[in-house]
């Protein structure tokens, strides 16, 4: 391919004879006269015009034109050489002959021959030859020297370039690229400023220009070394004067302006190709495109560049599924200055590059992605694409049921690319999508992505990422809502978000309450968090099941939470018909009393209860149902607050008073404090501070009415009195007076109930005494015959002389009838029937119970008082034992009744039945709530009942064991033990 070769050429000699006045014509040609007309037509079509005189300094002969002539079945190339001669015609004018050669283009195309190669082959040929056949041209090897010479020639005419500088190489290429793009305009291009160049130098310039077009363009291109400046020159590319009409004149070395459209697209794409792949590679690629194509066929020319463009080649490979790391890297590296970034192919290529970059063998793509990502034009599109890729990883993991470890590894690799380009903030802002309209599913996938990456990868030490999370409020709230179930994880997210920073947005400063008391102060800085922000924080604390967090949130965000609870609208207690009620905020005056209605409705009743609440309108009741499904914490209304208050009562234990106030405002029954002295004191102190809030003045009557029920509905003893004292001191005269009336009514009702209980207890004691007397009488009646028989037998066995036999001796004193030892009820404490020392006083027993001694000692001191439970001493002893039971350990509690039972049986000689009745009576008083007295506390029915059940199960187990022993005694069920042989009656005949 690079060796010299020969080709045959048809020829024609065009001119006229000396001293002739005839016109120019074909004088000799291949094939003789029959072909003269054809050659004449070709020569006239390729004529460049009238040449200058022989004395001209510029644009001197020879003039050369090379014309590609594509025919239907064959391609030909015509070469016309207009030369000087010494001949003169009849008018004494110089004769200018023309040599014309016609060559089959097939071999020229195969050898990729340039214009300078053709001139080197044609220049030594002299016409006409001695024979009439074709001539043989020896074509030198096409080594691409024409293009290089042309660039050197152009460089000599570029202003400001010196030999050996980089600009000397770049500027000629830019000029040649622009002139090649001008050929796509369709109008002739005339190069000016090269008048002193010889013919070969001009052809080299043509090689430099046409060499930047596909080689197939030469099949129909017409070029000329010079035109005369006439109208409508026959060439498409030629040198000529500046005044050539209907032609686009371009000065040699001066960069022309390429019009917009396909010419400019070709120039930009070709320049990008040269910058990406190098001039030599592009020229070699263009030479390989030898299919005939016209300069006016813009689509074919741009398509030819696409085939050479690594970017388009990579896009085609991706579309065909034949991509590789090298192909994608070359495609991305070929793009410069953000070109072609608006196409879908660029996005597909970048997406494929991202997929390869996270693989172990994709390191070479990092630089290409970094360059495009940091470019001002392509950076936003790459960031948006990276956000989509991150969401696709989460979506594919969910759809394919992949484990979180594989998704997290993939996300980590992608996020490392984001960190390398410092695009964390930009990607985070793009993850949730546009604010309006909100896409709940996309937001959910974005939250999954951030949760899998974790706070350390997302925001730790990165101010830009933190700012982005501050700006994307919806996304950050979703993440905090998702992570709130794990308190440690929630703290890990809040630490880099820095909610305690004063420059943080107001919605984020609401979360500072979870960072401690000092950090919580920023939640009250201006602008303050809204009520919605307060509900969000409270929801997170409830989900985290952290009572300390809940107390901090309620303490610092109390005004916002109170505003949500007191806002008219949805919420409140649900009535029997399903309607939702709220107290009418506008129904109270400034002092908190009820306003009489204009229709003459009654005012405050004699014993006022909870005021009736007005139903909410239908559109207000449905507001929560129409809430945004993507809202992370639910709508900030009373319904959400009510759900939080009833979700987990234990989470409110550190702020029980505030929780009960909110419960009253939203229509939920208050819970009250744990009925312990310390807890009630804290509860009362909190209520005292809340009642001093002037914003609650309209609702004090309602709050006192609801909270008083905690103390008045059940007797709470001294602890309840602490809470009741605070309620009676409420700064609302009407509420305090009403509460005093309710307390007096409660005391009167309690007194009546106490009298009923005393009567019932006396009746029960009488029945117990009668049952015991009947039982003792039955025992005496059963033993009297036995005692009589024993007395008779003793009289018979007595030796003589005792007086019994003769009836003269003294009779022994007959024992008074009475209960047998171990049966019946002994005398009450202090009576004559008790053995040993006298019983201790009641005061001693109360003091012993207060010191929480052992259960054995307490049972020994308590036993005498249990014999008379209906008495005042027995009742007080029962209450004192309950206070000991409340403070004792579980092990001591479990053994108390056992020790009491043993003491009654052994020391006080009570029968088993009487002892069981006494223990049952004690448990019955505990079950009905009459064993704690007016002070409250003490016995608890649940544990006592469970202990009685355990005793019952133990006794049943022992009974079953005795049954089994009795069964084993009658039937031999031991394995591998022979049965005893059956004894037959001696007189039996059944043998």
């Amino acid at each position: 391919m690079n060796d010299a070769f020969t080709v045959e050429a048809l020829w024609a000699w065009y001119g006229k004879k000396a001293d002739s006045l005839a016109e120019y014509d074909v004088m000799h040609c291949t094939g003789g006269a029959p072909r003269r007309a054809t050659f004449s037509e070709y020569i006239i079509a390729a004529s460049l015009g009238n040449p200058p005189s022989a004395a001209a300094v510029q644009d001197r002969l020879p003039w050369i034109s090379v014309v590609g002539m594509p025919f239907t079945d064959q391609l030909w190339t015509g070469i016309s050489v207009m030369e000087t001669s010494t001949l003169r015609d009849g008018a004494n004018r110089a004769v200018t002959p023309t040599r014309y050669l016609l060559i089959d283009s097939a071999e020229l195309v195969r050898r990729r021959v340039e214009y300078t190669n053709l001139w080197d082959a044609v220049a030594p040929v002299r016409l006409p030859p001695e024979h009439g056949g074709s001539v043989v041209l020896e074509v030198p090897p096409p080594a691409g020297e024409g293009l290089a010479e042309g660039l050197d020639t152009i460089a000599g005419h570029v202003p400001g370039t010196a030999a050996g500088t980089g600009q000397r190489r770049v500027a000629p290429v830019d000029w040649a690229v622009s002139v090649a793009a001008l050929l796509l305009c369709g109008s002739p291009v005339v190069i000016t400023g090269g008048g002193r160049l010889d013919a070969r130098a001009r052809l080299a310039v043509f090689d430099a220009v046409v060499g930047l077009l596909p080689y197939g363009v030469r099949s129909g291109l017409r070029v000329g070394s010079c035109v005369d400046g006439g109208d409508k020159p026959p060439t498409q590319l030629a040198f000529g004067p500046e005044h050539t009409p209907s032609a686009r004149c371009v000065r040699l070395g001066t960069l022309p302006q390429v019009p917009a459209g396909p010419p400019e697209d070709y120039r930009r794409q070709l320049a990008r190709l040269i910058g990406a792949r190098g001039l030599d590679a592009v020229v070699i690629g263009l030479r390989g495109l030898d299919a005939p194509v016209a300069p006016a066929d813009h689509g074919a020319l741009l398509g030819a560049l696409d085939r050479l463009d690594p970017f388009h080649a990579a896009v085609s490979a991706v579309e065909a599924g034949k991509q590789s790391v090298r192909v994608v890297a070359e495609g991305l590296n070929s793009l410069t200055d953000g070109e072609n970034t608006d196409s879908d192919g660029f996005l597909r290529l970048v997406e494929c590059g991202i997929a390869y970059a996270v693989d172990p063998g994709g390191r070479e793509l990092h630089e290409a992605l970094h360059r495009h990502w940091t470019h001002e034009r392509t950076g936003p599109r790459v960031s948006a694409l990276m956000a989509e890729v991150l969401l696709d990883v989460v979506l594919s993991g969910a759809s394919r049921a992949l484990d979180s470890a594989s998704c997290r590894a993939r996300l980590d690799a992608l996020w490392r690319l984001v960190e390398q380009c410092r695009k964390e903030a930009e990607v985070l802002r793009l993850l949730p999508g546009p604010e309006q309209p909100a896409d709940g599913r996309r937001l959910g996938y974005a939250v999954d992505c951030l949760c899998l990456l974790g706070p350390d990868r997302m925001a730790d030490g990165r101010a830009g990422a933190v700012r982005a999370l501050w700006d994307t409020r919806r996304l950050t709230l979703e993440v905090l809502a998702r992570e709130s179930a794990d308190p440690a994880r929630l703290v890990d997210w809040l630490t880099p978000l820095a909610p305690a920073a004063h420059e943080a947005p107001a919605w984020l400063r609401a979360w500072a309450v979870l960072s401690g008391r000092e950090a919580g102060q920023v939640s009250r800085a201006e602008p303050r968090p809204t009520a919605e922000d307060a509900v969000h924080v409270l929801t997170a604390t409830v989900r985290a099941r952290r009572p300390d967090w809940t107390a901090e949130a309620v303490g610092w965000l109390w005004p916002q939470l109170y505003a949500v609870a007191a806002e008219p609208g949805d919420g409140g207690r649900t009535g029997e018909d399903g309607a939702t009620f709220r107290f009418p905020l506008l129904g109270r005056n400034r002092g908190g009393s009820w306003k009489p209605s204009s229709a003459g409705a009654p005012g405050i009743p004699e014993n006022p209860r909870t005021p009736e609440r007005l139903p909410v309108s239908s559109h207000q009741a449905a507001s929560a149902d129409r809430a945004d499904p993507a809202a992370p914490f639910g709508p900030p209304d009373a319904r959400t607050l009510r759900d939080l208050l009833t979700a987990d009562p234990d989470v409110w234990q550190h702020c029980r008073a505030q929780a009960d106030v909110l419960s009253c405002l939203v229509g939920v029954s208050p819970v009250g404090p744990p009925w312990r002295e310390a807890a009630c004191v804290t509860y009362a102190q909190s209520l005292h501070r809340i009642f001093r809030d002037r914003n609650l003045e309209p609702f004090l009557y309602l709050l006192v009415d609801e909270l008083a029920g905690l103390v008045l509905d059940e007797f709470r003893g001294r602890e309840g009195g602490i809470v009741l004292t605070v309620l009676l001191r409420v700064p609302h005269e009407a509420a305090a007076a009403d509460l005093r009336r309710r307390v007096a009514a409660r005391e009167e009702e309690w007194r009546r109930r106490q009298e009923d209980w005393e009567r019932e207890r006396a009746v029960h004691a009488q029945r117990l005494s009668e049952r015991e007397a009947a039982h003792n009488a039955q025992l005496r009646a059963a033993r009297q015959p036995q005692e009589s028989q024993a007395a008779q037998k003793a009289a018979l066995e007595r030796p003589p002389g005792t007086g019994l036999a003769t009836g003269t001796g003294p009779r022994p004193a007959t024992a008074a009838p009475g209960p047998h030892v171990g049966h019946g009820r002994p005398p009450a404490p202090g009576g004559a029937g008790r053995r040993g020392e006298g019983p201790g006083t009641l005061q001693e027993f109360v003091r012993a119970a207060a010191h929480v001694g052992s259960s054995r000692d307490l049972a020994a001191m308590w036993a005498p008082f249990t014999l008379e439970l209906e008495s005042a001493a027995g009742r007080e002893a029962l209450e004192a034992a309950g206070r000991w039971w409340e403070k004792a350990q579980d092990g001591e509690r479990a053994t108390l009744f056992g020790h009491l039972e043993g003491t009654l049986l052994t020391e006080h000689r009570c029968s088993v039945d009487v002892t069981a009745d006494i223990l049952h009576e004690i448990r019955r008083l505990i079950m009905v709530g009459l064993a704690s007295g007016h002070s409250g506390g003490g016995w608890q029915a649940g544990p006592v009942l469970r202990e009685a059940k355990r005793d019952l199960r133990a006794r049943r187990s022992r009974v079953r064991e005795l049954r089994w022993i009795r069964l084993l005694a009658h039937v031999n069920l031991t394995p591998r033990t022979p049965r005893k042989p059956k004894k037959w009656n001696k007189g039996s005949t059944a043998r």
Side-chain angles (χ1 to χ4, degrees):
M1 293 288 294
N2 294 327
D3 299 333
F5 64 96
T6 59
V7 294
E8 292 186 357
L10 304 180
W11 60 271
W13 176 262
Y14 186 79
K16 60 181 177 179
K17 296 180 180 180
D19 299 330
S20 174
L21 295 177
E23 295 294 333
Y24 283 88
D25 197 1
V26 175
M27 301 178 63
H28 304 281
C29 69
T30 301
R35 292 188 176 178
R36 286 184 179 179
T38 302
F39 276 111
S40 178
E41 181 181 351
Y42 292 164
I43 293 172
I44 293 174
S47 176
L48 299 178
N50 297 321
S53 63
V57 178
Q58 296 184 353
D59 298 335
R60 300 180 62 181
L61 294 177
W63 285 5
I64 305 168
S65 67
V66 182
V67 178
M69 294 184 295
F71 294 97
T72 304
D73 55 349
Q74 195 173 5
L75 297 178
W76 293 85
T77 299
I79 304 172
S80 175
V81 182
M82 185 182 296
E83 300 175 312
T84 60
S85 69
T86 59
L87 300 179
R88 313 288 292 184
D89 63 1
N92 198 25
R93 292 174 298 182
V95 176
T96 308
T98 301
R99 288 183 295 160
Y100 188 82
L101 298 173
L102 189 61
I103 307 172
D104 187 354
S105 300
E107 188 65 19
L108 300 180
V109 172
R110 192 174 71 87
R111 300 279 184 163
R112 302 297 190 268
V113 176
E114 296 179 316
Y115 293 132
T116 52
N117 298 128
L118 286 177
W119 172 244
D120 292 340
V122 171
V125 176
R126 294 291 177 247
L127 295 180
E130 297 179 355
H131 54 84
S134 59
V135 297
V136 177
L137 302 180
E138 186 175 354
V139 183
E145 296 178 356
L147 186 141
E149 294 177 5
L151 292 178
D152 290 340
T153 302
I154 298 170
H157 291 76
V158 175
T161 59
T165 62
Q167 186 66 20
R168 184 174 177 83
R169 178 70 173 175
V170 175
V173 174
D174 292 341
W175 184 87
V177 169
S178 299
V179 175
L182 288 176
L183 293 177
L184 275 67
C185 296
S187 58
V189 177
V190 174
I191 302 174
T192 64
R196 295 183 178 274
L197 297 178
D198 58 9
R200 195 178 190 286
R202 298 186 183 197
L203 291 177
V205 173
F206 295 158
D207 282 333
V209 174
V210 182
L212 298 176
L213 293 168
Y215 191 85
V217 174
R218 298 173 186 256
S219 63
L221 190 65
R222 302 183 303 273
V223 299
S225 62
C226 188
V227 294
D228 61 356
D231 191 15
K232 296 181 180 180
T235 58
Q236 293 169 287
L237 178 63
F239 279 85
E242 297 180 356
H243 57 272
T244 304
S246 67
R248 188 181 297 272
C249 296
V250 177
R251 186 165 186 82
L252 183 63
T254 302
L255 194 67
Q257 180 69 31
V258 180
E264 174 61 20
D265 295 341
Y266 187 89
R267 184 203 66 78
R268 185 174 61 252
Q269 189 171 350
L270 181 59
R272 182 176 54 80
L273 274 176
I274 294 173
R277 302 187 58 187
L279 177 63
D280 296 338
V282 173
V283 170
I284 292 174
L286 291 173
R287 285 178 182 173
L289 304 175
D290 57 1
V293 59
D297 192 353
H298 301 155
L301 293 177
L302 293 174
L305 291 183
D306 291 343
R307 289 194 293 274
L308 297 179
D309 189 358
F311 168 72
H312 290 90
V315 171
S316 300
V318 170
E319 293 175 349
K322 301 179 180 179
Q323 71 274 13
S324 64
V325 176
R326 182 186 59 81
V327 172
V328 175
E330 290 179 355
L332 291 176
N333 288 328
S334 65
L335 298 177
T336 58
D337 296 332
E339 296 182 358
N340 287 337
T341 56
D342 296 334
S343 62
D344 294 337
F346 171 75
L347 296 180
R348 287 195 294 269
L349 199 61
V350 171
E351 184 177 3
C352 188
I354 292 174
Y356 278 127
V358 297
D359 292 335
R363 296 288 302 174
E364 58 183 299
L365 283 165
H366 288 188
E367 183 178 354
L369 289 174
H370 184 275
R371 180 165 55 84
H372 288 291
W373 210 341
T374 55
H375 196 276
E376 59 181 357
R377 290 183 57 186
T378 59
R381 302 204 69 187
V382 177
S383 296
L385 189 59
M386 176 57 79
E388 297 298 331
V389 171
L390 291 171
L391 295 178
D392 289 341
V393 172
V394 178
L395 178 59
S396 62
S399 60
R400 300 176 186 175
L402 299 178
D403 59 329
S404 59
S406 60
C407 290
R408 185 178 291 106
R410 186 79 174 175
L411 290 174
D412 286 341
L414 291 171
W415 196 254
R416 278 195 295 269
L417 292 178
V418 179
E419 293 173 344
Q420 290 174 4
C421 299
R422 300 293 181 181
K423 292 292 182 177
E424 300 96 327
E426 190 171 342
V427 174
L428 285 175
R429 289 186 174 92
L430 293 172
L431 273 179
E435 291 288 341
Q436 296 294 337
D439 188 352
R441 294 184 59 188
R442 179 187 177 95
L443 182 61
Y445 294 140
V447 173
D448 292 338
C449 177
L450 266 63
C451 291
L452 287 174
L453 287 171
D456 295 338
R457 296 299 307 278
M458 296 303 303
D460 190 13
R462 299 172 180 87
V466 172
R467 289 286 183 178
L469 292 175
W470 287 5
D471 297 338
T472 54
R473 173 178 179 269
R474 191 162 54 104
L475 175 62
T476 307
L477 285 178
E478 282 280 3
V479 172
L480 296 178
R482 183 77 59 85
E483 301 287 10
S484 61
D486 186 354
R489 185 82 169 176
L490 183 59
V491 171
D492 292 341
W493 274 101
L494 290 176
T495 300
L497 287 176
H502 291 280
E503 63 273 13
W507 67 268
L508 184 60
R509 282 191 281 105
W511 294 83
V513 300
L514 307 184
S515 301
R517 182 170 299 276
E518 295 180 359
Q521 295 178 357
V522 302
S523 63
R524 295 185 177 178
E526 296 294 339
R528 292 193 176 188
T530 62
E532 180 180 8
D533 302 331
V535 173
H536 292 170
V537 177
L538 188 63
T539 304
T541 61
V542 173
R543 290 179 181 174
R545 299 182 183 274
R546 290 286 298 270
D548 53 340
W549 283 2
T550 305
E552 292 293 335
V554 172
W556 289 107
L557 303 175
W558 173 253
Q560 293 89 334
L561 296 175
Y562 154 76
V564 173
E567 182 181 1
D570 193 17
R573 187 174 300 163
T574 304
E576 296 179 357
D577 58 350
T580 304
F581 293 91
R582 293 279 299 198
F583 51 86
L585 298 181
L586 300 180
R588 299 178 184 270
N589 57 19
R590 183 65 178 172
S593 59
W594 290 94
K595 294 181 180 179
S597 61
S598 57
I604 301 177
E606 178 65 21
N607 191 9
R609 302 298 297 170
T610 303
E612 182 181 1
R613 295 169 181 175
L614 300 180
V616 184
S617 62
S618 59
H619 71 277
Q620 292 174 341
S623 61
D625 297 334
R626 296 194 303 268
D628 182 10
F633 295 101
D637 55 15
R639 178 177 297 181
T640 301
L641 195 57
R642 183 172 62 242
D643 295 339
L644 296 177
L645 290 167
T646 57
D648 186 5
D650 293 338
V651 82
W652 301 91
Q653 57 183 335
H654 293 172
C655 55
R656 190 68 261 173
Q658 292 89 337
D660 285 346
V661 170
L662 295 176
S663 298
C664 295
L665 294 179
V666 300
V668 178
S669 299
V671 177
W675 298 105
R676 305 286 188 273
E677 183 175 356
C680 290
V681 170
T682 304
Y683 187 87
Q685 291 174 352
S686 299
L687 285 181
H688 179 74
R689 290 191 297 269
I690 293 174
F691 288 162
R692 292 299 180 271
D693 188 355
R694 296 186 60 84
N695 294 322
L696 283 174
E697 285 185 6
F699 316 117
L700 288 179
Y701 193 96
L702 171 69
L703 295 178
V704 173
D705 181 75
E706 293 283 348
L707 296 175
L710 298 173
V711 184
L712 299 180
D713 293 347
E714 295 186 21
F715 189 79
R716 301 296 182 181
R718 183 177 58 186
E719 292 79 1
I722 297 174
V723 179
L724 188 61
T725 301
V726 174
L727 295 177
L728 289 172
R729 295 176 181 177
V730 63
H732 193 286
E733 293 298 333
D738 177 61
L739 180 58
R740 286 192 290 271
R741 287 194 294 270
R742 292 178 60 184
V743 170
R746 195 280 306 268
E747 292 295 339
E748 180 63 24
E749 180 183 359
W750 179 259
R751 188 184 62 77
R752 290 195 301 268
R753 291 176 60 187
Q754 193 71 13
E755 293 177 354
D756 295 339
W757 290 338
E758 293 292 343
R759 287 193 296 271
E760 180 182 355
R761 195 173 303 170
V763 172
H764 180 73
Q766 181 66 27
R767 292 176 180 175
L768 182 62
S769 177
E770 293 175 356
R771 185 167 65 250
E772 186 175 351
H775 179 70
N776 293 336
Q778 183 179 0
L779 291 177
R780 287 193 297 272
R783 287 176 172 79
Q784 187 173 5
Q786 297 178 1
E787 293 176 355
S788 300
Q789 293 178 3
Q792 294 175 3
K793 184 177 180 179
L796 293 175
E797 295 177 353
R798 185 171 300 163
T802 59
L804 291 177
T806 58
T808 59
R811 299 180 62 88
T814 304
H820 192 270
V821 176
H823 297 278
R825 180 186 291 272
R834 179 161 184 190
R835 298 180 298 172
E837 299 179 356
T841 64
L842 179 63
Q843 289 75 13
E844 293 177 354
F845 173 69
V846 172
R847 286 195 296 271
H851 287 83
V852 193
S854 65
S855 59
R856 183 183 299 274
D857 297 338
L858 186 77
M861 298 181 66
W862 185 25
F865 300 101
T866 60
L867 301 176
E868 296 294 337
L869 289 173
E870 65 276 2
S871 64
R875 181 71 62 80
E876 188 173 354
L878 179 61
E879 295 176 5
R883 297 190 181 280
W884 175 92
W885 186 90
E886 179 183 12
K887 301 175 183 178
Q889 300 294 330
D890 293 339
E892 295 291 335
R893 290 180 180 180
T895 59
L896 175 62
F897 284 97
H899 291 318
L900 180 61
E901 182 179 7
T903 303
L904 290 174
L905 290 173
T906 58
E907 296 185 9
H908 296 275
R909 300 174 298 171
C910 293
S911 65
V912 175
D913 295 334
V914 171
T915 302
D917 290 339
I918 292 174
L919 296 178
H920 178 70
E921 178 66 14
I922 293 174
R923 291 189 176 109
R924 189 187 71 82
L925 293 175
I926 293 173
M927 293 301 113
V928 298
L930 302 179
S932 298
H934 295 279
S935 61
W939 298 103
Q940 294 183 10
V944 173
L945 179 60
R946 287 193 293 270
E947 182 180 350
K949 289 181 179 179
R950 283 195 299 269
D951 294 342
L952 180 59
R953 285 195 296 268
R955 294 187 181 187
R956 287 177 177 174
S957 177
R958 287 193 288 270
V959 171
R960 287 193 296 269
E961 182 180 2
L962 293 175
R963 288 177 180 175
W964 180 249
I965 294 173
R966 183 172 180 273
L967 180 62
L968 293 178
H970 290 78
V971 180
N972 184 15
L973 298 180
T974 305
R976 297 184 180 181
T977 302
R979 296 177 179 270
K980 293 182 179 180
K982 185 175 181 182
K983 295 181 180 180
W984 302 96
N985 296 330
K986 294 182 179 181
S988 175
T989 60
R991 298 180 182 178

